[in-house]
Amino acid sequence: MGLPSVLALACLLFLVVFVLLGTVLSDHGLICGLENKTRARNLAEAAVKRCCLRLRNQSDYGLKSGEGLTVTLPGDPAGAQGCVVFQGANASLNNLLGQAAVADSRGWPVPARSALLIGVGKCRSSQVRIEALLRRADFPYVLASQGPVESSGATRIGSLSNNTQNLLPGDLASNSCSDRAVALGPESFVSGDLRCAGGVFLDPLAKVNGQTFLHASQVELPKIDLKSYDPFGRLAFQDIPTLTGNQDLCGICRCSTDMTVQGHLNLQGASLFVNGDLVVTNGISGSGLLVVMGQTQVQQGIQLETSDRAVLLSGGHVLLTGVGAQASQFHGLVYTQGGLTAQQLSLVGAFVSSGSDQATLIQDASLAYDPQVTRLSLPTGSMLIPGSPSGKNTESTPTKFSAKGARGAWVSIDSFVSNSDPSLAFNLSDFLGNGQPLEVISWREDP
Amino acid sequence: METVISSCLLGLVAFFVLSLFPSSSLLLHQDRFRGHALEFAQASLEGLDQVARPLPPVGTKAQPDHEFEGVVFHSQISLQAVAGEAPEQLLQASCQVNWKDALGSHQLELGDYLAQH
């Protein structure tokens, strides 16, 4: 073999060696890059999770200068860290207590009652940035009571399913510390969890599909100042007589004392404030806000369109009666500072008995959770915004932004903002304290 | 003279090729194993995050051994409290993966936080 042939062969073999070396180094670099990026992402996520927890326990976290946090994780190389800061580049913005949207450092709007967290994770040459938009989660219980809960007859508690007639899991909570904080009768069925601060009496034929938490910590119930909804002296309203027949209401209405509707009450996007007790003998339909300072009694709750929903806030006992779960239905949110009694009807929404130790009695009724009822939109002229009697509203403007996406759904920030609802008149989340979990509305990772 | 130069050159090249091929192959395999361990650790941590409600107690839990391309991987998950945070709300999770190949014993540890949903 001559020298030229040997040189050619040597060149060929060197080429093979270089290709092999290049492949090995490229593969090694790829794995190292992937590992660094994974570590950086975990660091960014960890920083956001920890900051989310801080915000949950302390709504004003991040509003003072210098606040922020840094995290490190086991196994990471020296210098790798994740951080969330509220000042400077990549600054997060806490607008959980805000009543209007606020622009972040890039000029992007962060909706009212939301927080934008930007977590940055660094590991060697890799950097990952995570943006999470959070808001307070919807009230999570179908039925929550400060006092004991007792069911009898064919009572079913669950959550609405769009596709089937079957109940999805829905949770029940009682803050009563008695031995019979929750007593479920023979045909009672709870499709979700049962949580109570005291004990439980379960009939052998009653069924709880989820977990049962006995002697658990009390759940936080919303506190609503009903008097602040009185439009007297601060908003224009229609004066409603104390005794009427069938009523179709629109706009803002007020009854100065006890009110009895001998017939049916139809709310056409109306707000009604009753400065006493309310009795309706033939059911309520339509969409609207009812604020009753005394007791509320609604008989013959009737079949409603699914789009109808009412928010009923009552200072005293609420009695809802029907003629059977199939024929009688109430769709909406019921909040009472007294007890709650529901008989022979189907209730769709959320039910809160707060501020007293009175019992909640459910008899032959079906309760299905619908988180949509915790928010109510009304026409501008019907919006009864809470305020003080002096005329100064506690909220000068209605909520500017509110997401309508499914609970827990992750949507983009843009669609979250475009779903804003300036006509939002009531949002139960506004009355929940710091203990309410935060839910992620949007999650985005760069690059 | 030409024959000597040719022989030396061929010998040198043959030495490079013969020594580089096995080590390259080993390095490639080692990267594959490390990549697998990384993917496995990340999947373990993500799986833990999805099913944890409420958060599990702190401690160390060994996972079943598994095999990938003839190499056995041992792994364990450690959960510990984060200083200043309630353990029922936030935990530090780490997945440690150990394996042994032709180049010796290796270890990879990946961490994350586990938060209450």
Side-chain angles (χ1 to χ4, degrees), chain A residues 50 53-54 71-73, chain B residues 58 79-87 89-93 112-114:
Chain A
R50 192 165 185 182
L53 188 62
R54 289 273 171 89
V71 300
T72 55
L73 290 172
Chain B
V58 295
L79 297 172
Q80 53 182 295
V82 179
E85 307 290 352
Q89 291 185 320
L90 190 75
L91 289 176
Q92 180 181 273
D112 201 355
Y113 277 176
L114 200 59

Short mmCIF file of all heavy atoms in Angstrom, two decimals, chain A residues 50 53-54 71-73, chain B residues 58 79-87 89-93 112-114:
data_model
loop_
_atom_site.label_atom_id
_atom_site.label_comp_id
_atom_site.label_asym_id
_atom_site.label_seq_id
_atom_site.Cartn_x
_atom_site.Cartn_y
_atom_site.Cartn_z
N ARG A 50 -44.34 28.11 46.57
CA ARG A 50 -44.13 28.63 47.93
C ARG A 50 -44.72 30.03 48.07
O ARG A 50 -45.32 30.36 49.09
CB ARG A 50 -42.63 28.65 48.24
CG ARG A 50 -42.37 28.90 49.70
CD ARG A 50 -40.97 28.57 50.09
NE ARG A 50 -40.79 28.73 51.53
CZ ARG A 50 -39.66 28.54 52.16
NH1 ARG A 50 -38.59 28.15 51.50
NH2 ARG A 50 -39.56 28.72 53.46
N LEU A 53 -48.43 29.85 48.46
CA LEU A 53 -48.81 29.52 49.83
C LEU A 53 -48.73 30.76 50.73
O LEU A 53 -49.60 30.99 51.57
CB LEU A 53 -47.88 28.42 50.35
CG LEU A 53 -48.22 27.81 51.69
CD1 LEU A 53 -49.58 27.13 51.63
CD2 LEU A 53 -47.16 26.82 52.10
N ARG A 54 -47.68 31.55 50.53
CA ARG A 54 -47.57 32.79 51.31
C ARG A 54 -48.78 33.70 51.05
O ARG A 54 -49.35 34.28 51.96
CB ARG A 54 -46.30 33.55 50.90
CG ARG A 54 -45.02 32.91 51.35
CD ARG A 54 -44.63 33.37 52.76
NE ARG A 54 -43.52 32.58 53.27
CZ ARG A 54 -42.25 32.91 53.08
NH1 ARG A 54 -41.93 34.01 52.43
NH2 ARG A 54 -41.30 32.15 53.57
N VAL A 71 -35.58 29.97 46.63
CA VAL A 71 -35.60 28.57 47.04
C VAL A 71 -34.43 27.82 46.40
O VAL A 71 -33.97 28.17 45.31
CB VAL A 71 -36.92 27.85 46.66
CG1 VAL A 71 -38.11 28.50 47.29
CG2 VAL A 71 -37.10 27.79 45.15
N THR A 72 -33.98 26.81 47.12
CA THR A 72 -32.99 25.88 46.56
C THR A 72 -33.53 24.47 46.78
O THR A 72 -34.36 24.26 47.68
CB THR A 72 -31.62 26.00 47.26
OG1 THR A 72 -31.82 25.83 48.66
CG2 THR A 72 -30.98 27.35 47.00
N LEU A 73 -33.08 23.54 45.97
CA LEU A 73 -33.59 22.18 46.06
C LEU A 73 -32.43 21.19 46.19
O LEU A 73 -31.34 21.45 45.66
CB LEU A 73 -34.42 21.84 44.82
CG LEU A 73 -35.76 22.57 44.69
CD1 LEU A 73 -36.39 22.32 43.34
CD2 LEU A 73 -36.73 22.13 45.79
N VAL B 58 -44.07 13.15 56.21
CA VAL B 58 -42.65 13.26 55.88
C VAL B 58 -41.98 11.91 56.10
O VAL B 58 -42.44 11.08 56.88
CB VAL B 58 -41.96 14.36 56.73
CG1 VAL B 58 -42.50 15.72 56.41
CG2 VAL B 58 -42.10 14.05 58.20
N LEU B 79 -39.44 12.92 51.58
CA LEU B 79 -40.29 14.10 51.82
C LEU B 79 -39.87 14.72 53.13
O LEU B 79 -39.76 14.02 54.14
CB LEU B 79 -41.77 13.69 51.89
CG LEU B 79 -42.37 13.08 50.64
CD1 LEU B 79 -43.75 12.56 50.92
CD2 LEU B 79 -42.45 14.14 49.54
N GLN B 80 -39.63 16.01 53.11
CA GLN B 80 -39.30 16.68 54.37
C GLN B 80 -39.93 18.06 54.43
O GLN B 80 -40.25 18.65 53.38
CB GLN B 80 -37.80 16.74 54.58
CG GLN B 80 -37.02 17.34 53.43
CD GLN B 80 -35.55 17.30 53.73
OE1 GLN B 80 -35.09 17.95 54.63
NE2 GLN B 80 -34.80 16.55 52.95
N ALA B 81 -40.13 18.51 55.65
CA ALA B 81 -40.78 19.81 55.85
C ALA B 81 -39.86 20.93 55.37
O ALA B 81 -38.64 20.80 55.39
CB ALA B 81 -41.12 19.99 57.32
N VAL B 82 -40.49 22.02 54.93
CA VAL B 82 -39.74 23.20 54.53
C VAL B 82 -39.71 24.16 55.71
O VAL B 82 -40.75 24.40 56.34
CB VAL B 82 -40.42 23.88 53.31
CG1 VAL B 82 -39.67 25.13 52.89
CG2 VAL B 82 -40.53 22.90 52.16
N ALA B 83 -38.55 24.65 56.03
CA ALA B 83 -38.41 25.54 57.19
C ALA B 83 -39.36 26.74 57.05
O ALA B 83 -39.39 27.40 56.02
CB ALA B 83 -36.97 26.03 57.29
N GLY B 84 -40.12 26.97 58.11
CA GLY B 84 -41.02 28.12 58.12
C GLY B 84 -42.37 27.87 57.49
O GLY B 84 -43.21 28.76 57.45
N GLU B 85 -42.61 26.67 56.98
CA GLU B 85 -43.90 26.37 56.35
C GLU B 85 -44.54 25.18 57.05
O GLU B 85 -43.85 24.29 57.56
CB GLU B 85 -43.73 26.05 54.86
CG GLU B 85 -42.97 27.08 54.05
CD GLU B 85 -43.74 28.38 53.86
OE1 GLU B 85 -44.93 28.42 54.24
OE2 GLU B 85 -43.15 29.35 53.35
N ALA B 86 -45.88 25.15 57.05
CA ALA B 86 -46.59 24.04 57.68
C ALA B 86 -46.46 22.79 56.82
O ALA B 86 -46.70 22.85 55.61
CB ALA B 86 -48.07 24.40 57.83
N PRO B 87 -46.09 21.64 57.43
CA PRO B 87 -45.89 20.43 56.62
C PRO B 87 -47.15 19.91 55.95
O PRO B 87 -47.08 19.13 55.03
CB PRO B 87 -45.32 19.42 57.62
CG PRO B 87 -45.62 19.97 58.96
CD PRO B 87 -45.76 21.44 58.84
N GLN B 89 -49.10 21.82 54.39
CA GLN B 89 -49.35 22.70 53.24
C GLN B 89 -48.24 22.64 52.19
O GLN B 89 -48.49 22.83 51.01
CB GLN B 89 -49.50 24.15 53.71
CG GLN B 89 -50.78 24.38 54.51
CD GLN B 89 -50.98 25.83 54.86
OE1 GLN B 89 -50.04 26.53 55.20
NE2 GLN B 89 -52.22 26.28 54.79
N LEU B 90 -47.01 22.43 52.64
CA LEU B 90 -45.89 22.42 51.69
C LEU B 90 -44.81 21.47 52.16
O LEU B 90 -44.43 21.47 53.32
CB LEU B 90 -45.30 23.84 51.56
CG LEU B 90 -44.30 24.04 50.44
CD1 LEU B 90 -44.99 24.12 49.09
CD2 LEU B 90 -43.49 25.31 50.65
N LEU B 91 -44.33 20.63 51.24
CA LEU B 91 -43.24 19.70 51.55
C LEU B 91 -42.18 19.80 50.47
O LEU B 91 -42.47 20.16 49.33
CB LEU B 91 -43.76 18.26 51.58
CG LEU B 91 -44.65 17.84 52.75
CD1 LEU B 91 -45.14 16.42 52.53
CD2 LEU B 91 -43.92 17.95 54.07
N GLN B 92 -40.95 19.47 50.88
CA GLN B 92 -39.88 19.38 49.89
C GLN B 92 -39.73 17.91 49.51
O GLN B 92 -39.50 17.07 50.37
CB GLN B 92 -38.59 19.92 50.47
CG GLN B 92 -37.43 19.85 49.50
CD GLN B 92 -36.17 20.37 50.13
OE1 GLN B 92 -35.89 21.56 50.11
NE2 GLN B 92 -35.41 19.47 50.71
N ALA B 93 -39.90 17.63 48.24
CA ALA B 93 -39.80 16.25 47.77
C ALA B 93 -38.53 16.10 46.95
O ALA B 93 -38.18 16.99 46.18
CB ALA B 93 -41.02 15.89 46.91
N ASP B 112 -38.19 18.99 44.20
CA ASP B 112 -39.32 19.86 43.85
C ASP B 112 -40.11 20.12 45.13
O ASP B 112 -39.86 19.48 46.15
CB ASP B 112 -40.21 19.19 42.79
CG ASP B 112 -41.05 20.21 42.03
OD1 ASP B 112 -41.01 21.41 42.39
OD2 ASP B 112 -41.74 19.83 41.09
N TYR B 113 -41.05 21.03 45.07
CA TYR B 113 -41.93 21.25 46.21
C TYR B 113 -43.27 20.59 45.93
O TYR B 113 -43.73 20.55 44.79
CB TYR B 113 -42.16 22.75 46.44
CG TYR B 113 -41.07 23.44 47.23
CD1 TYR B 113 -41.10 24.81 47.44
CD2 TYR B 113 -40.02 22.72 47.78
CE1 TYR B 113 -40.11 25.46 48.16
CE2 TYR B 113 -39.02 23.35 48.50
CZ TYR B 113 -39.07 24.72 48.68
OH TYR B 113 -38.09 25.35 49.39
N LEU B 114 -43.87 20.11 46.97
CA LEU B 114 -45.17 19.47 46.88
C LEU B 114 -46.13 20.35 47.70
O LEU B 114 -45.98 20.47 48.90
CB LEU B 114 -45.07 18.06 47.50
CG LEU B 114 -46.10 17.02 47.14
CD1 LEU B 114 -46.12 16.79 45.65
CD2 LEU B 114 -45.76 15.72 47.86
#
